[in-house]
Amino acid sequence: MALKNAVDEEEMNQAVAEAEASDSIVEIELKKPVVYNGKSYEKLTFDFDSLTGKDGLDIENELAALGKVAVVPTFSGEYLIRMAAKACTDPIGSDMFEMISLHDYNRIRSAARSFLLRSE
């Protein structure tokens, strides 16, 4: 099965434009506070430059253990959200992103995607 059409060209162009305008340290103020592991969060800070190759491999192994594959990590929500959890300056897991608004989830996912696009 060919992966020729795995990524929409328009989506890719938009993502590249976002990547060029973004930073590696990103603060996201949440629309509504979220309580996770007994702590209330109003904003999250992500340091994407702190990630290492080991983090990338750990994410791939975690997805494989779940029976999931990130064919194109830059456009895989599962991969990007795990990457954001590792880059977060607070100790959170990827399960926290199930609790936040879709609006905030998309902003965080886009920040992770922009970082990957800048690094390619």
Side-chain angles (χ1 to χ4, degrees):
M1 181 170 145
L3 296 176
K4 181 178 151 188
N5 295 325
V7 176
D8 178 87
E9 188 175 336
E10 185 177 324
E11 182 180 4
M12 177 62 133
N13 292 338
Q14 180 181 354
V16 169
E18 289 173 9
E20 291 171 353
S22 66
D23 295 320
S24 61
I25 296 182
V26 177
E27 286 189 4
I28 304 283
E29 192 162 331
L30 303 176
K31 288 188 103 171
K32 293 187 294 188
V34 173
V35 177
Y36 179 77
N37 285 341
K39 182 178 176 186
S40 180
Y41 293 89
E42 294 182 11
K43 75 175 182 176
L44 295 171
T45 302
F46 303 91
D47 181 2
F48 291 106
D49 274 339
S50 70
L51 297 174
T52 65
K54 182 181 181 331
D55 292 318
L57 293 171
D58 287 348
I59 294 167
E60 288 179 16
N61 289 333
E62 183 179 340
L63 289 174
L66 295 170
K68 300 177 180 186
V69 177
V71 176
V72 182
T74 306
F75 291 96
S76 166
E78 294 278 358
Y79 186 95
L80 294 171
I81 241 37
R82 283 169 174 76
M83 188 179 105
K86 289 183 177 295
C88 190
T89 59
D90 286 300
I92 63 167
S94 60
D95 59 328
M96 180 185 185
F97 298 109
E98 296 175 7
M99 304 165 70
I100 65 175
S101 72
L102 183 58
H103 173 82
D104 292 332
Y105 166 85
N106 283 329
R107 291 174 57 214
I108 294 166
R109 187 190 63 186
S110 291
R113 178 180 62 196
S114 293
F115 173 78
L116 282 183
L117 287 170
R118 274 195 328 276
S119 65
E120 290 179 348

